[in-house]
Coordinates of all heavy atoms in Angstrom, one line a residue:
M81 N 0.8 -1.2 0.0 CA 0.0 0.0 0.0 C 0.9 1.2 0.0 O 1.9 1.3 0.7 CB -0.9 0.0 1.2 CG -2.0 1.0 1.2 SD -2.8 1.2 2.8 CE -4.4 0.4 2.5
K82 N 0.4 2.3 -0.8 CA 1.2 3.5 -0.9 C 1.1 4.3 0.4 O 0.0 4.4 1.0 CB 0.7 4.3 -2.1 CG 1.5 5.5 -2.5 CD 0.9 6.1 -3.7 CE 1.6 7.4 -4.1 NZ 1.3 8.5 -3.0
F83 N 2.2 4.9 0.8 CA 2.2 5.8 2.0 C 1.2 7.0 1.7 O 1.5 7.8 0.8 CB 3.6 6.3 2.3 CG 3.7 7.1 3.5 CD1 3.7 6.5 4.7 CD2 3.9 8.5 3.4 CE1 3.8 7.3 5.9 CE2 4.1 9.3 4.5 CZ 4.0 8.7 5.8
P84 N 0.2 7.1 2.5 CA -0.9 8.1 2.2 C -0.7 9.5 2.8 O -1.4 10.4 2.3 CB -2.1 7.4 2.8 CG -1.6 6.7 4.0 CD -0.2 6.3 3.7
F85 N 0.1 9.7 3.8 CA 0.1 10.9 4.5 C 0.8 12.0 3.7 O 1.6 11.8 2.9 CB 0.8 10.8 5.9 CG 0.0 10.0 6.9 CD1 0.2 8.6 7.0 CD2 -0.9 10.7 7.7 CE1 -0.6 7.9 7.9 CE2 -1.6 10.0 8.7 CZ -1.5 8.6 8.8
Y86 N 0.4 13.3 4.0 CA 1.0 14.4 3.3 C 2.4 14.8 4.0 O 3.2 15.3 3.4 CB 0.1 15.6 3.4 CG -1.3 15.4 2.8 CD1 -2.4 15.2 3.6 CD2 -1.4 15.1 1.4 CE1 -3.6 14.9 3.1 CE2 -2.7 14.8 0.9 CZ -3.8 14.7 1.7 OH -5.0 14.4 1.2
D87 N 2.5 14.4 5.2 CA 3.8 14.6 6.0 C 4.8 13.6 5.4 O 4.4 12.5 4.9 CB 3.6 14.3 7.5 CG 2.4 15.1 8.0 OD1 1.3 14.7 7.9 OD2 2.7 16.2 8.6
A88 N 6.1 13.9 5.5 CA 7.1 13.0 5.0 C 7.1 11.7 5.9 O 6.7 11.7 7.0 CB 8.5 13.7 5.2
P89 N 7.5 10.6 5.2 CA 7.5 9.3 5.9 C 8.4 9.3 7.2 O 8.1 8.6 8.2 CB 8.1 8.3 4.9 CG 7.8 9.0 3.6 CD 7.8 10.4 3.8
N90 N 9.4 10.2 7.2 CA 10.3 10.2 8.4 C 9.9 11.3 9.4 O 10.6 11.6 10.3 CB 11.8 10.4 7.9 CG 12.0 11.8 7.3 OD1 11.0 12.5 7.1 ND2 13.2 12.1 7.0
T91 N 8.7 11.8 9.3 CA 8.2 12.7 10.3 C 8.1 12.1 11.6 O 7.6 11.0 11.8 CB 6.7 13.2 9.9 OG1 6.8 13.8 8.6 CG2 6.2 14.2 10.9
A92 N 8.6 12.8 12.6 CA 8.6 12.2 14.0 C 7.2 12.2 14.6 O 6.5 13.2 14.5 CB 9.5 13.0 14.9
T93 N 6.7 11.1 15.1 CA 5.4 11.0 15.7 C 5.5 10.3 17.0 O 6.6 9.6 17.3 CB 4.5 10.2 14.8 OG1 5.0 8.8 14.7 CG2 4.4 10.7 13.4
I94 N 4.5 10.4 17.8 CA 4.5 9.8 19.2 C 3.7 8.6 19.2 O 2.5 8.6 18.7 CB 4.0 10.8 20.2 CG1 5.0 12.0 20.3 CG2 3.8 10.2 21.6 CD1 4.5 13.1 21.2
T95 N 4.2 7.5 19.7 CA 3.4 6.3 20.0 C 3.7 5.9 21.4 O 4.4 6.6 22.2 CB 3.6 5.2 19.0 OG1 2.7 4.2 19.2 CG2 5.1 4.7 19.1
C96 N 3.2 4.8 21.9 CA 3.5 4.4 23.3 C 4.1 3.0 23.3 O 4.0 2.2 22.4 CB 2.2 4.4 24.1 SG 1.0 3.2 23.6
C97 N 4.6 2.7 24.5 CA 5.3 1.4 24.6 C 4.4 0.2 24.5 O 4.8 -0.9 24.2 CB 6.1 1.4 26.0 SG 5.0 1.5 27.4
H98 N 3.1 0.4 24.8 CA 2.1 -0.7 24.7 C 2.0 -1.2 23.3 O 1.8 -2.3 23.0 CB 0.8 -0.2 25.3 CG 0.9 0.4 26.6 ND1 0.6 1.7 26.9 CD2 1.3 -0.1 27.8 CE1 0.8 2.0 28.1 NE2 1.3 0.9 28.7
I99 N 2.0 -0.2 22.4 CA 1.8 -0.5 21.0 C 3.1 -1.1 20.4 O 3.2 -2.1 19.8 CB 1.4 0.7 20.2 CG1 -0.1 1.1 20.5 CG2 1.5 0.5 18.7 CD1 -0.5 2.4 20.1
L100 N 4.2 -0.4 20.8 CA 5.5 -0.8 20.2 C 6.0 -2.1 20.8 O 6.5 -3.0 20.1 CB 6.6 0.3 20.5 CG 6.7 1.4 19.6 CD1 8.0 2.2 19.9 CD2 6.7 1.0 18.2
E101 N 5.9 -2.3 22.1 CA 6.5 -3.4 22.8 C 5.5 -4.6 23.1 O 5.9 -5.7 23.1 CB 7.2 -3.0 24.1 CG 8.5 -2.1 23.8 CD 8.8 -1.2 24.9 OE1 8.5 -1.5 26.1 OE2 9.5 -0.2 24.7
N102 N 4.3 -4.2 23.3 CA 3.3 -5.2 23.7 C 2.4 -5.6 22.5 O 1.5 -6.5 22.7 CB 2.4 -4.8 24.9 CG 3.2 -4.3 26.1 OD1 4.4 -4.5 26.1 ND2 2.5 -3.8 27.1
G103 N 2.5 -4.9 21.4 CA 1.7 -5.2 20.2 C 0.2 -4.9 20.4 O -0.6 -5.4 19.7
E104 N -0.1 -3.9 21.3 CA -1.5 -3.5 21.4 C -1.9 -2.7 20.2 O -1.1 -2.0 19.6 CB -1.7 -2.8 22.7 CG -1.5 -3.7 23.9 CD -1.9 -3.0 25.2 OE1 -2.7 -2.1 25.2 OE2 -1.3 -3.5 26.3
P105 N -3.2 -2.7 19.9 CA -3.7 -2.0 18.7 C -3.7 -0.5 19.0 O -3.8 0.0 20.1 CB -5.2 -2.5 18.6 CG -5.6 -3.0 19.9 CD -4.3 -3.5 20.6
I106 N -3.7 0.3 17.9 CA -3.8 1.8 17.9 C -5.3 2.1 18.0 O -6.0 1.8 17.0 CB -3.1 2.4 16.7 CG1 -1.6 2.0 16.6 CG2 -3.3 3.9 16.7 CD1 -1.0 2.4 15.3
L107 N -5.7 2.7 19.1 CA -7.1 3.0 19.2 C -7.4 4.5 19.4 O -8.5 4.9 19.5 CB -7.7 2.3 20.5 CG -7.6 0.7 20.4 CD1 -8.2 0.1 21.7 CD2 -8.3 0.2 19.2
Y108 N -6.3 5.3 19.4 CA -6.5 6.7 19.6 C -5.4 7.5 18.8 O -4.2 7.1 18.9 CB -6.3 7.1 21.1 CG -6.4 8.6 21.4 CD1 -7.6 9.1 21.8 CD2 -5.3 9.4 21.4 CE1 -7.7 10.5 22.1 CE2 -5.3 10.7 21.7 CZ -6.6 11.3 22.0 OH -6.6 12.6 22.3
V109 N -5.9 8.4 17.9 CA -4.9 9.1 17.1 C -5.2 10.6 17.3 O -6.4 11.0 17.2 CB -5.1 8.8 15.6 CG1 -4.1 9.6 14.8 CG2 -4.8 7.3 15.4
S110 N -4.2 11.4 17.6 CA -4.4 12.8 17.7 C -3.5 13.5 16.7 O -2.4 13.1 16.5 CB -4.0 13.2 19.2 OG -3.9 14.6 19.3
H111 N -4.0 14.6 16.1 CA -3.2 15.5 15.3 C -3.2 16.8 16.0 O -4.2 17.6 15.9 CB -3.9 15.6 13.9 CG -2.9 16.1 12.8 ND1 -3.4 16.4 11.6 CD2 -1.6 16.3 12.8 CE1 -2.3 16.8 10.8 NE2 -1.2 16.8 11.6
D112 N -2.1 17.1 16.7 CA -2.1 18.2 17.6 C -2.2 19.6 17.0 O -1.6 19.8 15.9 CB -0.8 18.2 18.5 CG -0.8 16.9 19.4 OD1 -1.9 16.3 19.5 OD2 0.3 16.6 19.9
E113 N -2.9 20.5 17.6 CA -3.2 21.8 17.1 C -2.0 22.7 17.1 O -1.7 23.4 16.1 CB -4.3 22.4 17.9 CG -4.7 23.8 17.4 CD -6.2 24.0 17.4 OE1 -6.8 23.6 18.5 OE2 -6.8 24.6 16.5
D114 N -1.2 22.6 18.2 CA -0.1 23.6 18.3 C 1.1 23.3 17.4 O 1.7 24.2 16.8 CB 0.3 23.7 19.8 CG 0.5 22.3 20.4 OD1 0.1 21.3 19.8 OD2 1.1 22.2 21.5
D115 N 1.5 22.0 17.3 CA 2.7 21.7 16.5 C 2.5 20.8 15.3 O 3.4 20.4 14.7 CB 3.8 21.2 17.4 CG 3.3 20.0 18.3 OD1 2.1 19.5 18.0 OD2 4.0 19.6 19.1
G116 N 1.2 20.3 15.1 CA 0.9 19.4 14.0 C 1.5 18.0 14.2 O 1.5 17.2 13.3
M117 N 1.8 17.7 15.5 CA 2.4 16.4 15.8 C 1.3 15.3 15.8 O 0.2 15.5 16.3 CB 3.0 16.5 17.2 CG 3.6 15.1 17.7 SD 5.2 14.8 17.0 CE 6.3 15.3 18.3
W118 N 1.6 14.2 15.1 CA 0.7 13.0 15.2 C 1.0 12.2 16.4 O 2.2 12.0 16.7 CB 0.8 12.2 14.0 CG 0.3 12.8 12.7 CD1 1.0 13.5 11.8 CD2 -1.0 12.7 12.2 NE1 0.2 13.8 10.7 CE2 -1.1 13.4 10.9 CE3 -2.2 12.1 12.6 CZ2 -2.2 13.5 10.2 CZ3 -3.4 12.2 11.9 CH2 -3.4 12.9 10.6
Q119 N -0.1 11.7 17.1 CA 0.1 10.8 18.2 C -0.7 9.5 17.9 O -1.9 9.7 17.6 CB -0.3 11.4 19.5 CG 0.5 12.6 19.9 CD 0.3 13.0 21.3 OE1 0.2 12.2 22.2 NE2 0.1 14.3 21.6
F120 N -0.1 8.4 18.1 CA -0.8 7.1 17.9 C -0.7 6.3 19.1 O 0.4 5.8 19.5 CB -0.2 6.3 16.7 CG -0.2 7.1 15.4 CD1 0.8 8.0 15.0 CD2 -1.3 7.0 14.5 CE1 0.8 8.7 13.8 CE2 -1.3 7.7 13.3 CZ -0.3 8.5 13.0
L121 N -1.8 6.2 19.9 CA -1.8 5.6 21.2 C -2.8 4.5 21.4 O -3.7 4.3 20.5 CB -2.0 6.7 22.3 CG -1.0 7.9 22.2 CD1 -1.5 9.0 23.1 CD2 0.4 7.5 22.6
C122 N -2.6 3.7 22.5 CA -3.5 2.6 22.7 C -4.8 2.9 23.3 O -5.7 2.1 23.4 CB -2.7 1.5 23.5 SG -2.4 2.1 25.2
G123 N -4.9 4.2 23.8 CA -6.2 4.6 24.4 C -6.2 4.6 25.9 O -7.2 5.1 26.5
K124 N -5.2 4.1 26.5 CA -5.1 4.2 28.0 C -4.3 5.5 28.4 O -3.8 6.2 27.5 CB -4.2 3.0 28.5 CG -5.0 1.6 28.3 CD -4.4 0.6 29.2 CE -3.2 -0.2 28.5 NZ -3.6 -1.3 27.7
A125 N -4.4 5.7 29.7 CA -3.6 6.9 30.2 C -2.1 6.5 30.2 O -1.8 5.4 30.3 CB -4.1 7.2 31.6
H126 N -1.3 7.5 30.0 CA 0.2 7.3 29.9 C 1.0 8.2 30.8 O 0.7 9.3 31.0 CB 0.6 7.5 28.4 CG 0.0 6.5 27.5 ND1 -1.1 6.7 26.8 CD2 0.4 5.2 27.2 CE1 -1.4 5.6 26.1 NE2 -0.5 4.7 26.3
E127 N 2.1 7.6 31.3 CA 3.1 8.3 31.9 C 4.1 8.9 30.8 O 4.1 8.3 29.7 CB 4.0 7.4 32.9 CG 3.2 6.7 33.9 CD 2.6 7.6 35.0 OE1 3.1 8.7 35.1 OE2 1.6 7.3 35.6
T128 N 4.8 9.9 31.1 CA 5.7 10.5 30.1 C 6.7 9.5 29.6 O 6.9 9.5 28.4 CB 6.4 11.7 30.8 OG1 5.5 12.5 31.5 CG2 7.1 12.6 29.7
D129 N 7.2 8.7 30.4 CA 8.2 7.7 30.0 C 7.7 6.6 29.1 O 8.4 5.8 28.6 CB 9.1 7.2 31.1 CG 8.2 6.4 32.1 OD1 7.0 6.3 32.0 OD2 8.9 5.7 33.0
E130 N 6.4 6.5 29.0 CA 5.8 5.5 28.1 C 5.6 5.9 26.7 O 5.3 5.2 25.8 CB 4.4 5.0 28.7 CG 4.6 4.3 30.0 CD 3.2 4.0 30.6 OE1 2.3 4.8 30.6 OE2 3.1 2.9 31.2
A131 N 5.9 7.2 26.4 CA 5.8 7.8 25.1 C 7.1 7.5 24.3 O 8.2 7.6 24.9 CB 5.5 9.3 25.1
K132 N 6.9 7.1 23.1 CA 8.1 6.8 22.2 C 8.0 7.6 20.9 O 6.9 7.7 20.4 CB 8.1 5.3 21.9 CG 8.0 4.3 23.1 CD 9.3 4.3 23.9 CE 9.1 3.5 25.2 NZ 10.1 3.7 26.2
L133 N 9.2 8.0 20.5 CA 9.2 8.8 19.2 C 9.6 7.8 18.1 O 10.6 7.2 18.1 CB 10.3 9.9 19.4 CG 10.0 11.2 18.7 CD1 8.7 11.8 19.1 CD2 11.1 12.2 19.0
V134 N 8.8 7.8 17.1 CA 9.0 6.9 15.9 C 8.6 7.7 14.7 O 8.0 8.7 14.7 CB 8.2 5.6 16.0 CG1 8.6 4.8 17.2 CG2 6.7 5.9 16.0
S135 N 9.0 7.1 13.5 CA 8.6 7.8 12.2 C 7.2 7.5 11.9 O 6.6 6.4 12.3 CB 9.6 7.4 11.1 OG 9.2 6.0 10.7
L136 N 6.6 8.4 11.1 CA 5.2 8.2 10.7 C 5.1 6.9 9.9 O 4.1 6.2 10.0 CB 4.8 9.5 9.9 CG 3.3 9.6 9.4 CD1 2.3 9.4 10.6 CD2 3.1 10.9 8.7
K137 N 6.1 6.7 9.0 CA 6.1 5.5 8.2 C 6.1 4.2 9.0 O 5.4 3.2 8.7 CB 7.2 5.5 7.2 CG 7.3 4.2 6.4 CD 8.0 4.4 5.1 CE 7.7 3.3 4.1 NZ 7.6 2.0 4.6
S138 N 6.8 4.2 10.1 CA 6.8 3.0 10.9 C 5.5 2.7 11.6 O 5.1 1.5 11.8 CB 8.0 3.0 11.9 OG 7.7 4.0 12.9
V139 N 4.7 3.7 11.9 CA 3.4 3.5 12.5 C 2.5 3.0 11.4 O 1.7 2.1 11.6 CB 2.8 4.9 13.0 CG1 1.4 4.7 13.5 CG2 3.7 5.3 14.2
F140 N 2.6 3.6 10.2 CA 1.7 3.2 9.1 C 2.0 1.7 8.7 O 1.1 0.9 8.4 CB 2.0 4.1 7.8 CG 1.2 3.6 6.6 CD1 -0.2 3.7 6.6 CD2 1.9 3.2 5.5 CE1 -0.9 3.3 5.5 CE2 1.1 2.7 4.4 CZ -0.2 2.8 4.4
D141 N 3.3 1.3 8.7 CA 3.7 -0.1 8.4 C 3.1 -1.0 9.5 O 2.8 -2.2 9.2 CB 5.2 -0.2 8.4 CG 5.8 0.5 7.1 OD1 5.0 0.8 6.2 OD2 7.0 0.7 7.1
L142 N 3.0 -0.5 10.7 CA 2.5 -1.3 11.8 C 1.0 -1.6 11.6 O 0.5 -2.7 11.9 CB 2.7 -0.6 13.1 CG 2.8 -1.3 14.4 CD1 4.1 -2.2 14.4 CD2 2.9 -0.3 15.6
D143 N 0.3 -0.6 11.2 CA -1.2 -0.7 11.0 C -1.6 0.3 9.9 O -1.8 1.5 10.1 CB -1.8 -0.3 12.4 CG -3.3 -0.5 12.3 OD1 -3.9 -0.7 11.2 OD2 -4.0 -0.4 13.3
N144 N -1.8 -0.3 8.7 CA -2.3 0.5 7.5 C -3.6 1.2 7.8 O -3.9 2.2 7.0 CB -2.4 -0.4 6.3 CG -1.1 -0.8 5.8 OD1 0.0 -0.3 6.2 ND2 -1.0 -1.8 4.9
S145 N -4.4 0.8 8.7 CA -5.7 1.4 8.9 C -5.7 2.8 9.4 O -6.7 3.5 9.5 CB -6.6 0.5 9.8 OG -6.2 0.5 11.1
V146 N -4.5 3.2 9.9 CA -4.4 4.7 10.3 C -4.3 5.6 9.1 O -4.5 6.8 9.2 CB -3.2 4.9 11.2 CG1 -3.3 4.1 12.5 CG2 -1.9 4.7 10.5
G147 N -4.0 5.0 7.9 CA -3.8 5.9 6.7 C -5.1 6.6 6.3 O -5.0 7.7 5.7
I148 N -6.2 6.1 6.7 CA -7.5 6.7 6.4 C -7.7 8.1 7.1 O -8.5 8.9 6.7 CB -8.7 5.8 6.7 CG1 -10.0 6.1 6.0 CG2 -8.9 5.7 8.3 CD1 -11.0 5.0 6.1
L149 N -6.8 8.3 8.1 CA -6.9 9.5 8.9 C -6.0 10.6 8.3 O -5.9 11.7 8.9 CB -6.5 9.3 10.3 CG -7.5 8.3 11.1 CD1 -6.9 8.0 12.4 CD2 -8.8 8.9 11.2
K150 N -5.4 10.4 7.1 CA -4.5 11.4 6.6 C -5.0 12.8 6.4 O -4.3 13.7 6.5 CB -4.0 10.9 5.2 CG -5.0 10.9 4.1 CD -4.5 10.3 2.8 CE -5.6 10.1 1.8 NZ -6.2 11.4 1.3
D151 N -6.3 12.9 6.2 CA -6.9 14.2 6.0 C -7.4 14.8 7.3 O -8.0 15.9 7.2 CB -8.1 14.1 5.0 CG -7.6 13.8 3.6 OD1 -6.7 14.4 3.1 OD2 -8.2 12.8 3.0
M152 N -7.2 14.2 8.4 CA -7.7 14.7 9.7 C -6.9 16.0 10.0 O -5.7 15.9 10.1 CB -7.6 13.7 10.8 CG -8.1 14.2 12.1 SD -8.3 12.8 13.3 CE -6.6 12.7 13.8
P153 N -7.6 17.1 10.2 CA -6.9 18.4 10.4 C -6.2 18.4 11.8 O -6.6 17.7 12.7 CB -7.9 19.5 10.3 CG -9.2 18.8 9.8 CD -9.0 17.3 10.1
C154 N -5.3 19.4 12.0 CA -4.7 19.7 13.3 C -5.9 20.1 14.2 O -6.8 20.8 13.8 CB -3.7 20.8 13.2 SG -2.3 20.3 12.2
G155 N -5.8 19.7 15.5 CA -6.8 20.1 16.4 C -7.9 19.0 16.5 O -8.9 19.3 17.2
Y156 N -7.8 17.9 15.8 CA -8.8 16.8 15.8 C -8.2 15.6 16.4 O -6.9 15.4 16.4 CB -9.3 16.6 14.4 CG -10.3 17.6 14.0 CD1 -9.9 18.9 13.6 CD2 -11.7 17.2 13.8 CE1 -10.9 19.8 13.2 CE2 -12.6 18.2 13.4 CZ -12.2 19.5 13.1 OH -13.1 20.4 12.6
Y157 N -9.0 14.7 16.9 CA -8.5 13.4 17.3 C -9.5 12.3 16.8 O -10.7 12.6 16.6 CB -8.3 13.3 18.8 CG -9.6 13.4 19.6 CD1 -10.2 12.2 20.1 CD2 -10.1 14.6 19.9 CE1 -11.4 12.3 20.9 CE2 -11.3 14.7 20.7 CZ -11.9 13.6 21.2 OH -13.0 13.7 21.9
A158 N -9.1 11.1 16.8 CA -9.9 10.0 16.3 C -9.8 8.8 17.3 O -8.7 8.6 17.9 CB -9.4 9.5 14.9
E159 N -10.9 8.2 17.6 CA -11.0 7.1 18.5 C -11.7 5.9 17.9 O -12.6 6.1 17.0 CB -11.7 7.5 19.8 CG -11.0 8.3 20.7 CD -11.9 8.7 21.9 OE1 -13.0 9.1 21.7 OE2 -11.4 8.5 23.0
R160 N -11.4 4.7 18.3 CA -12.2 3.5 17.9 C -12.1 2.5 19.1 O -11.1 2.6 19.9 CB -11.6 2.9 16.6 CG -10.2 2.5 16.6 CD -9.7 1.9 15.3 NE -8.3 1.6 15.3 CZ -7.6 1.1 14.3 NH1 -8.2 0.9 13.2 NH2 -6.3 0.9 14.5
K161 N -13.0 1.6 19.1 CA -13.1 0.7 20.2 C -12.2 -0.5 20.0 O -11.8 -1.2 21.0 CB -14.5 0.3 20.5 CG -15.4 1.5 21.0 CD -16.7 0.9 21.6 CE -17.5 2.1 22.3 NZ -17.8 3.1 21.3
A162 N -12.0 -0.9 18.8 CA -11.2 -2.1 18.5 C -10.5 -1.8 17.1 O -10.9 -0.9 16.4 CB -12.1 -3.3 18.4
Q163 N -9.5 -2.6 16.8 CA -8.7 -2.4 15.6 C -9.5 -2.5 14.3 O -9.2 -1.9 13.4 CB -7.6 -3.5 15.6 CG -6.5 -3.1 14.6 CD -5.2 -3.8 14.9 OE1 -5.1 -4.8 15.6 NE2 -4.1 -3.2 14.4
D164 N -10.6 -3.3 14.3 CA -11.4 -3.5 13.1 C -12.6 -2.5 13.1 O -13.5 -2.7 12.3 CB -11.8 -4.9 12.9 CG -12.6 -5.5 14.1 OD1 -12.7 -4.7 15.1 OD2 -12.9 -6.7 14.1
D165 N -12.7 -1.6 14.1 CA -13.8 -0.7 14.2 C -13.5 0.5 13.3 O -12.4 0.8 12.9 CB -13.8 -0.2 15.7 CG -15.2 -0.2 16.3 OD1 -16.0 -0.9 15.7 OD2 -15.4 0.5 17.3
E166 N -14.6 1.3 13.0 CA -14.5 2.5 12.3 C -14.0 3.6 13.2 O -14.3 3.6 14.4 CB -15.9 3.0 11.8 CG -16.6 2.1 10.9 CD -16.1 2.2 9.5 OE1 -16.0 3.3 9.0 OE2 -15.7 1.2 8.9
W167 N -13.2 4.5 12.7 CA -12.7 5.7 13.5 C -13.8 6.7 13.7 O -14.6 6.9 12.7 CB -11.6 6.4 12.7 CG -10.3 5.6 12.7 CD1 -9.8 5.0 11.5 CD2 -9.3 5.4 13.7 NE1 -8.6 4.4 11.9 CE2 -8.3 4.7 13.2 CE3 -9.3 5.8 15.0 CZ2 -7.2 4.3 13.9 CZ3 -8.2 5.5 15.8 CH2 -7.2 4.7 15.2
S168 N -14.0 7.2 14.8 CA -14.8 8.4 15.0 C -14.0 9.6 15.3 O -13.2 9.6 16.2 CB -15.9 8.2 16.0 OG -15.4 7.9 17.3
V169 N -14.1 10.6 14.4 CA -13.2 11.8 14.4 C -13.9 12.9 15.1 O -15.1 13.2 14.8 CB -12.8 12.2 13.0 CG1 -12.0 13.5 13.0 CG2 -12.1 11.1 12.3
R170 N -13.3 13.6 16.1 CA -13.9 14.7 16.8 C -12.9 15.9 16.9 O -11.7 15.7 16.9 CB -14.3 14.3 18.2 CG -15.4 13.3 18.3 CD -15.9 13.1 19.7 NE -16.8 12.0 19.7 CZ -16.4 10.7 19.9 NH1 -15.1 10.4 20.1 NH2 -17.2 9.7 19.9
K171 N -13.5 17.1 17.0 CA -12.7 18.3 17.2 C -12.3 18.3 18.7 O -13.2 18.0 19.6 CB -13.4 19.5 16.8 CG -12.6 20.8 16.7 CD -13.4 21.9 16.0 CE -12.7 23.2 15.9 NZ -11.3 23.3 16.1
R172 N -11.1 18.7 19.0 CA -10.7 18.8 20.4 C -11.4 19.9 21.1 O -11.5 21.0 20.6 CB -9.2 19.0 20.5 CG -8.6 18.9 21.9 CD -7.1 18.8 21.8 NE -6.7 17.6 21.0 CZ -6.8 16.3 21.5 NH1 -7.2 16.1 22.7 NH2 -6.4 15.3 20.8
Ligands
ZN208 ZN1 -0.2 2.8 25.5

């Protein structure tokens, strides 16, 4: 599948150790208003040291279903209940 995001594949994004190390699904995606940073998280609450910096491409390679969110503007976030669920996008 072609890389869908407008940001460069090597754009730094935030994910969490639960997704990276425990293989948990991505259930929460945020496109931050202030700096345009993408965050791909498991949906649980996080301590600062559980956040990991990775490239946007490595997140997309992990789960292609985040690609559908490429048009989500800054200041919005998306949630889903399970990996095969539809995303629901909301303004922050
Ligand atoms: Zn997590």
Side-chain angles (χ1 to χ4, degrees):
M81 193 192 252
K82 190 175 170 294
F83 182 75
F85 287 90
Y86 305 108
D87 307 84
N90 65 354
T91 301
T93 64
I94 292 172
T95 187
C96 68
C97 61
H98 309 114
I99 291 165
L100 274 193
E101 290 158 24
N102 306 355
E104 292 190 25
I106 300 168
L107 300 180
Y108 178 92
V109 177
S110 168
H111 198 189
D112 294 349
E113 183 141 42
D114 47 350
D115 54 7
M117 179 80 100
W118 289 94
Q119 298 193 42
F120 299 91
L121 302 172
C122 65
K124 292 199 273 274
H126 292 95
E127 304 291 337
T128 313
D129 64 350
E130 293 176 320
K132 308 286 173 194
L133 215 53
V134 296
S135 72
L136 186 54
K137 177 155 194 324
S138 69
V139 174
F140 177 68
D141 288 345
L142 205 65
D143 184 351
N144 286 350
S145 71
V146 300
I148 200 168
L149 298 171
K150 67 185 176 63
D151 293 314
M152 185 169 75
C154 296
Y156 284 71
Y157 66 97
E159 283 180 309
R160 60 183 175 180
K161 292 195 173 62
Q163 194 159 22
D164 56 0
D165 227 20
E166 299 281 311
W167 290 106
S168 60
V169 177
R170 292 190 191 85
K171 194 170 180 11
R172 187 167 301 284

